[in-house]
Amino acid sequence: MASCPLFLLVPRPPPSLVGADRCPGSAGCSDLPTSCRPHPGRRHGYPFRCNSSSSSSAPRERPPRQRPGGRGDAIDPVGFLTKLGVSDRAFAQFLRDRHKALKDRRWELCSRFIDLKEASSGFELLGMHRHRQHRIDFMEWAPGARYCSLIGDFNQWSPTENCAREGHLGHDDFGYWFIILEDKLREGQEQDEYFFQEYNYVDDYDKGDNGIDADEIMRRMKEEYWEPGEIRSRQSQLEMVVKLYEQMFGPNGPQTEEELGEIPDAQTRYNEFKASQKADSSSQPSYDIIDNGQEFDIFSVVTDRASFEKFQAKKPPLAYWVEMRKGRIAWLEKYVPTISHKDKYRVYFNTPDGALERIPAWAAYVLPDAEGKQSYAVHWEPPPEEIYKWRFGRPKVKGSLRIYECHVGISGSEQKVSSFQEFTSKVLPHIKKAGYNAVQLIGVVEHKDYSSIGYKVTNYFAVSSRFGTPDDFKKLVDEAHGLGLVVLLDIIHSYASADELVGLSLFDGSNDCYFHSGKRGHHKYWGTRMFKYDDVDVLHFLLSNLNWWVTEYRIDGFQFHSLSSMLYTHNGFSTFTGAMEEYCNQYVDKDALIYLILANEMLHRLHPDIVTIAEDATFYPGLCEPITQGGLGFNYWVNLSIPEMWLWHLENVPEQEWSMNKIIKVLVSSNQNMLSYVENHNQSISGRKSFAEIILNSRECSVGSVDDNLIRASSLLKLMKLITFTTSGGGYLNFMGNEFAHPEKVEFPMPSNDYSFELANRQWELLDKVFHKHIFNFDKDVMSLDENERIISRGPPNILHCDDTSMVIFFTRGPLFFIFNFNPQVSHQSYRVGVDEAGEYQLIFNPDETKYGGCETLKSSQYMRRTFDKRADGCRNSLELALPSRSAQIYKLVRILRI
């Protein structure tokens, strides 16, 4: 990134953002022409097409776009610039051009998929799905392939038995392949006579299992549902046509035009027909069509009122049709599944460069090969009695978002890969006890390389098999919801694994399927592939992937990982100063920005309570602004400068020389909707130390007794945590174990450590140690204080006092005020700070208490302070407080004094 420390850059995220319970406004796709209808083959795997009633050769015109009626929904592509006070013509023009490109991209998507809901529901068709008519449908996108088939245990890995063939919806113009796997009739069973006879694989029992013959059902329907004469009119439709023909032309109709003669006009023919039907008019409804020679006369139906009302009152014969649907009991008697639950399979392509075997891109479960060579997809279709049944509804976050970041694999104490089940039973209760209301999971999506922490994703629709099954993950999410925890997923759509055997790279043998070709398709430093965000089918894949996790696993939100990798063609690895020109120059990927807008628009429209978080080291302007005002529509943005700032101070600056102004500038420079953290997994991964390890091993802590070292170490760590938490803009994050000062870094097994699991775990036993228990008590009570007082969900901090000499910081948020003394040596017996409101202030939190590992320097008589009528810090009133070294205090206004 930049040559200077990241925290020295002035962050420019959006102060105002759309709340988690509000959907960012957008133009949407409601302006499509009425002639756009689903292509008939769409439900069989074909993308939607627009059919015009006019000539197909005529150019298609765009409909006029209507401006939203509400004033708050008015679209202004540069609206947020005025709010932020930014006046940059080049960037404003870039936003206008981006908005035009966004409208074009919306139109392109809607021309294929009708709307964003359809464009993000690809998982309903692609991949492998059971059809209700005793079969399984498989669909895959591979435009570069010339032949496609399924191979696996179910057909002895034959590349020819189950293939996409012409005449079987095999291949469409967009490169989608479609394969039907028919269930097999058991020996002695015969095919059903009626094509609409259904065998529902999921329903355990319904009326169709009562053994009634289909012919008997049809007979009962004729006798009980149709009135006398009605069924005859429907059975003899062709007979009526024949009689009309004979009446007009005789038994032996004319063979030539000369024999035909002159045909009477339509009205005459109609009158003659009505006259011949008078004798039998009571037994059938009088629905007639008058042909006036117009183009659409077929729709001009004339009927009498009595027949119309009679038709409207009649209900469809659902009771009989239900009996034509048989349940799982009948299905098991008649059929054997062509591919069974847990069968292995791959997709087979014939390409210009030869035959390929790939893991389907939409596979929901992937397992490694027993020999560790090539993985395979697993057909996950458990029987109804084994399907996971959800027990709890989705919780809603009230107030602030307190996130506990986790990696399931390293969540146990043992030196191994932990499972979803172990995480559910052991870690989730701890998270609830610690006072957090959200759990954020990293490394959950399937990846081949465990040492990548999960960031080199290979299979975007599959949970990592090394942790458990899809149902195990559903139980994890469900139990978290039962504890009142929302579940967030760290999603990696900024790049993908370059693995060709398991991942998407060269998926169909071509270089331009999901990713850019050439240098642009490869990350300059990480060896990963870069998505082609301007391709409609790639957008279909990515948008559907987001919707899949919310729909299938009930995920409550996403953190979009490493946006700087996708927003810039230099992948964020460039000297960066934060000038506005760098947000709109030739290195900015406009298509990636448009994808993020569409992703937020889709998520908030379909799931109004969804939470989206942007992780961008460059502080791209408008991250959290509404889409209608030119923003990207995220709910929160991550301030990556804060941990870099703390790390820089710990490693490079003696504690007595820390600058309070620099610290507070990074913490509150742009506070609203800011997700803050002291350290996440990045601060302790692969060679880097955790902050607890840095502080415990620092020079200052090596002097004095063991007790003094721990007290000094804990006091500094508590100050860093508390000021970061209390200045955040509505969201706070903590990495697993840091709530009790985990002293060890994290290092995943890799060749450099001989694939050791020694540091790929968490030492939960430390919670029984005095020092770590004190830190945990402190962290837990801070979370509890926020739950009760709504600290970080209030307005932004009002900085009243920041002194580099005394190393004291004082600020207020609503009726609460916070004071910090970072000086490692100097205590103040009577330190004066200014407050606007005269009254009595109660000490509600003191990290120096003995239960937090402090010295409890303050006496109980000092817990209530009353203001003085003396000006300080530009305020009319002031307080005199005792500030021990390395201490902090939180006061609350409990009584207002009127003078």
Side-chain angles (χ1 to χ4, degrees):
M1 276 299 297
S3 57
C4 61
L6 177 63
F7 75 89
L8 294 180
L9 296 178
V10 179
R12 303 186 183 194
S16 176
L17 93 83
V18 180
D21 56 348
R22 181 181 170 191
C23 173
S26 59
C29 302
S30 59
D31 51 1
L32 281 176
T34 56
S35 60
C36 284
R37 293 292 184 269
H39 187 273
R42 177 64 172 112
R43 301 318 300 175
H44 298 283
Y46 277 59
F48 281 115
R49 298 176 183 174
C50 285
N51 299 325
S52 175
S53 60
S54 59
S55 173
S56 60
S57 62
R60 182 171 57 195
E61 297 182 0
R62 274 189 204 187
R65 297 187 180 270
Q66 297 180 355
R67 192 178 185 86
R71 187 173 182 180
D73 294 332
I75 297 176
D76 184 358
V78 296
F80 78 91
L81 294 183
T82 303
K83 182 164 45 177
L84 296 181
V86 177
S87 58
D88 188 282
R89 291 186 177 180
F91 187 68
Q93 185 60 43
F94 175 83
L95 292 180
R96 294 187 181 96
D97 293 340
R98 189 186 74 188
H99 181 67
K100 293 178 182 178
L102 172 63
K103 291 193 293 183
D104 291 338
R105 191 60 42 80
R106 280 202 193 104
W107 171 257
E108 195 175 0
L109 270 173
C110 294
S111 296
R112 285 274 299 277
F113 302 106
I114 298 300
D115 57 16
L116 277 179
K117 180 179 181 181
E118 192 73 27
S120 60
S121 301
F123 55 85
E124 295 180 355
L125 293 175
L126 283 106
M128 194 169 288
H129 301 278
R130 173 158 290 282
H131 193 279
R132 62 178 179 268
Q133 288 184 336
H134 44 81
R135 78 185 203 208
I136 287 180
D137 297 341
F138 175 81
M139 186 176 177
E140 189 66 79
W141 181 59
R146 299 188 299 194
Y147 172 88
C148 175
S149 67
L150 278 177
I151 59 176
D153 294 338
F154 63 98
N155 62 7
Q156 289 72 52
W157 301 89
S158 168
T160 59
E161 184 173 340
N162 300 100
C163 60
R165 302 185 301 274
E166 292 298 329
H168 292 74
L169 300 177
H171 187 205
D172 70 357
D173 297 337
F174 301 103
Y176 288 89
W177 297 86
F178 187 68
I179 300 174
I180 295 177
L181 306 177
E182 295 281 357
D183 290 331
K184 301 173 184 177
L185 282 171
R186 293 185 182 273
E187 187 176 352
Q189 296 289 335
E190 295 181 359
Q191 193 71 36
D192 291 300
E193 178 182 356
Y194 300 100
F195 75 95
F196 45 79
Q197 177 77 68
E198 295 181 4
Y199 291 81
N200 196 321
Y201 180 83
V202 177
D203 289 348
D204 184 52
Y205 177 81
D206 57 33
K207 291 185 178 181
D209 290 324
N210 59 17
I212 298 179
D213 184 76
D215 292 331
E216 173 67 15
I217 295 175
M218 299 296 288
R219 185 189 63 79
R220 284 169 45 192
M221 187 187 309
K222 295 176 183 178
E223 293 179 354
E224 300 175 13
Y225 179 77
W226 302 111
E227 297 181 10
E230 284 187 323
I231 188 62
R232 181 184 178 280
S233 66
R234 284 155 179 79
Q235 289 178 329
S236 58
Q237 291 180 13
L238 291 178
E239 179 185 351
M240 183 183 298
V241 174
V242 171
K243 286 184 178 180
L244 285 174
Y245 188 84
E246 290 182 353
Q247 288 175 6
M248 293 176 63
F249 307 111
N252 298 314
Q255 303 298 317
T256 64
E257 291 187 7
E258 290 76 10
E259 294 179 3
L260 178 63
E262 184 178 354
I263 300 176
D265 63 274
Q267 190 65 43
T268 301
R269 297 199 310 272
Y270 173 73
N271 293 335
E272 292 177 355
F273 167 74
K274 292 294 292 183
S276 65
Q277 297 294 316
K278 284 183 179 180
D280 195 30
S281 60
S282 60
S283 63
Q284 50 187 313
S286 55
Y287 292 103
D288 306 315
I289 299 173
I290 303 300
D291 184 358
N292 293 323
Q294 301 298 321
E295 185 176 357
F296 299 108
D297 273 347
I298 191 173
F299 299 115
S300 301
V301 179
V302 179
T303 181
D304 65 295
R305 187 65 184 174
S307 296
F308 179 76
E309 292 178 354
K310 182 179 179 181
F311 177 80
Q312 291 290 91
K314 185 178 287 293
K315 296 180 180 179
L318 294 180
Y320 304 98
W321 296 121
V322 166
E323 294 197 43
M324 296 294 288
R325 293 177 60 251
K326 295 182 180 292
R328 181 169 169 79
I329 296 175
W331 187 94
L332 290 173
E333 292 178 357
K334 194 174 186 69
Y335 291 99
V336 175
T338 183
I339 179 170
S340 301
H341 176 48
K342 295 186 178 180
D343 274 359
K344 309 171 187 176
Y345 71 97
R346 299 191 191 103
V347 61
Y348 176 93
F349 295 125
N350 192 317
T351 73
D353 295 327
L356 296 175
E357 292 183 17
R358 292 286 188 259
I359 303 297
W362 302 72
Y365 193 36
V366 178
L367 286 175
D369 189 78
E371 299 178 359
K373 295 180 181 179
Q374 187 173 357
S375 301
Y376 49 83
V378 175
H379 179 53
W380 191 258
E381 190 183 22
E385 61 271 14
E386 297 180 13
I387 293 176
Y388 186 80
K389 296 176 176 58
W390 296 92
R391 300 166 55 206
F392 304 104
R394 299 173 183 268
K396 293 184 179 181
V397 174
K398 297 180 180 179
S400 60
L401 193 65
R402 303 185 298 274
I403 302 174
Y404 193 88
E405 186 185 38
C406 311
H407 187 287
V408 173
I410 65 171
S411 63
S413 300
E414 301 179 33
Q415 296 184 19
K416 65 170 189 174
V417 178
S418 293
S419 68
F420 288 135
Q421 294 180 352
E422 292 169 328
F423 184 91
T424 302
S425 61
K426 298 178 182 179
V427 182
L428 282 182
H430 170 80
I431 299 173
K432 179 64 176 179
K433 179 182 177 182
Y436 292 86
N437 58 12
V439 53
Q440 180 171 302
L441 300 169
I442 62 176
V444 165
V445 187
E446 185 60 74
H447 52 284
K448 181 179 179 181
D449 184 7
Y450 186 55
S451 65
S452 72
I453 317 170
Y455 286 126
K456 293 184 178 180
V457 175
T458 53
N459 310 100
Y460 278 82
F461 289 82
V463 296
S464 180
S465 59
R466 58 177 56 86
F467 306 141
T469 67
D471 285 354
D472 291 337
F473 184 60
K474 287 181 180 179
K475 183 177 181 181
L476 186 157
V477 175
D478 199 21
E479 292 296 328
H481 287 167
L483 294 172
L485 302 172
V486 300
V487 181
L488 309 177
L489 195 64
D490 204 12
I491 198 75
I492 299 88
H493 282 185
S494 47
Y495 52 83
S497 171
D499 192 287
E500 296 180 11
L501 293 179
V502 185
L504 300 175
S505 185
L506 294 175
F507 181 70
D508 60 2
S510 66
N511 196 38
D512 56 356
C513 188
Y514 287 95
F515 309 109
H516 288 290
S517 58
K519 292 183 178 180
R520 191 179 177 186
H522 297 266
H523 196 286
K524 298 179 184 296
Y525 299 97
W526 296 344
T528 51
R529 298 301 310 273
M530 307 305 296
F531 283 107
K532 187 163 49 175
Y533 299 104
D534 60 338
D535 189 284
V536 170
D537 294 291
V538 175
L539 292 178
H540 180 46
F541 177 85
L542 295 175
L543 293 173
S544 298
N545 183 240
L546 295 173
N547 197 15
W548 159 262
W549 289 103
V550 181
T551 304
E552 179 71 11
Y553 294 106
R554 302 195 179 184
I555 295 298
D556 302 295
F558 300 95
Q559 174 172 295
F560 286 73
H561 171 74
S562 188
L563 296 189
S564 56
S565 298
M566 62 188 290
L567 295 183
Y568 309 94
T569 55
H570 52 63
N571 303 130
F573 286 82
S574 176
T575 301
F576 204 90
T577 65
M580 294 301 295
E581 187 273 337
E582 293 168 322
Y583 298 125
C584 58
N585 59 21
Q586 70 272 25
Y587 301 110
V588 177
D589 191 337
K590 188 184 298 181
D591 295 319
L593 288 166
I594 291 174
Y595 162 67
L596 293 175
I597 293 173
L598 292 173
N600 277 294
E601 181 181 348
M602 179 274 297
L603 286 171
H604 288 95
R605 179 179 296 177
L606 301 184
H607 314 284
D609 294 325
I610 204 78
V611 176
T612 57
I613 304 170
E615 184 192 64
D616 175 29
T618 65
F619 309 112
Y620 196 88
L623 284 173
C624 296
E625 291 295 333
I627 294 173
T628 55
Q629 299 301 303
L632 302 185
F634 285 96
N635 296 117
Y636 295 91
W637 63 279
V638 181
N639 192 341
L640 298 171
S641 298
I642 294 176
E644 294 293 330
M645 178 266 294
W646 289 125
L647 182 63
W648 185 79
H649 277 88
L650 287 173
E651 293 185 338
N652 300 286
V653 183
E655 191 180 347
Q656 62 272 15
E657 297 179 12
W658 285 15
S659 170
M660 299 298 102
N661 280 287
K662 286 184 178 179
I663 290 175
I664 207 67
K665 180 181 179 182
V666 174
L667 291 174
V668 301
S669 56
S670 185
N671 174 268
Q672 285 187 336
N673 309 108
M674 177 180 70
L675 182 66
S676 304
Y677 61 91
V678 178
E679 54 181 329
N680 71 346
H681 65 276
N682 289 330
Q683 272 60 52
S684 58
I685 292 290
S686 301
R688 303 184 71 174
K689 298 179 179 180
S690 69
F691 286 179
E693 185 177 2
I694 294 174
I695 294 174
L696 288 172
N697 295 336
S698 63
R699 184 177 301 174
E700 290 87 349
C701 293
S702 63
V703 181
S705 65
V706 175
D707 291 339
D708 290 340
N709 287 340
L710 293 178
I711 290 174
R712 292 169 64 83
S714 66
S715 61
L716 179 58
L717 195 58
K718 287 184 292 185
L719 284 183
M720 293 165 54
K721 285 176 172 288
L722 187 60
I723 195 171
T724 302
F725 181 84
T726 55
T727 55
S728 67
Y732 177 79
L733 182 143
N734 170 74
F735 181 60
M736 177 176 55
N738 290 342
E739 72 279 7
F740 60 87
H742 199 283
E744 295 283 354
K745 64 183 179 181
V746 176
E747 190 172 88
F748 282 78
M750 58 185 69
S752 61
N753 59 18
D754 295 328
Y755 298 98
S756 170
F757 282 84
E758 183 179 358
L759 297 177
N761 52 30
R762 298 279 86 180
Q763 301 177 36
W764 297 107
E765 66 276 7
L766 293 177
L767 280 168
D768 297 328
K769 306 294 183 181
V770 175
F771 169 76
H772 299 281
K773 181 183 291 186
H774 286 162
I775 296 296
F776 176 71
N777 290 337
F778 162 79
D779 194 272
K780 179 181 66 175
D781 286 355
V782 170
M783 300 301 119
S784 178
L785 184 65
D786 179 70
E787 179 71 20
N788 297 326
E789 299 293 342
R790 298 287 188 261
I791 296 176
I792 63 177
S793 58
R794 296 181 182 272
N798 180 23
I799 310 299
L800 297 176
H801 184 93
C802 186
D803 191 341
D804 284 340
T805 303
S806 62
M807 301 184 69
V808 174
I809 298 174
F810 173 69
F811 59 89
T812 63
R813 298 188 83 164
L816 307 174
F817 79 73
F818 311 80
I819 189 163
F820 296 82
N821 180 14
F822 275 86
N823 198 308
Q825 300 170 344
V826 179
S827 299
H828 304 281
Q829 296 301 319
S830 181
Y831 196 91
R832 184 179 297 276
V833 292
V835 291
D836 284 323
E837 195 70 62
E840 294 180 349
Y841 290 81
Q842 173 72 43
L843 180 65
I844 60 174
F845 190 74
N846 178 21
D848 194 39
E849 293 183 18
T850 53
K851 64 179 179 179
Y852 305 138
C855 302
E856 203 157 347
T857 307
L858 291 181
K859 308 301 180 183
S860 59
S861 59
Q862 297 174 302
Y863 279 22
M864 179 71 74
R865 311 302 297 171
R866 177 174 291 192
T867 58
F868 294 90
D869 189 15
K870 294 182 180 179
R871 297 186 66 86
D873 301 323
C875 301
R876 294 175 297 175
N877 305 286
S878 61
L879 285 168
E880 291 186 357
L881 306 171
L883 302 180
S885 62
R886 274 184 176 166
S887 69
Q889 298 159 36
I890 301 178
Y891 288 85
K892 181 179 182 180
L893 178 63
V894 294
R895 184 182 178 190
I896 298 176
L897 299 179
R898 300 298 183 190
I899 301 176

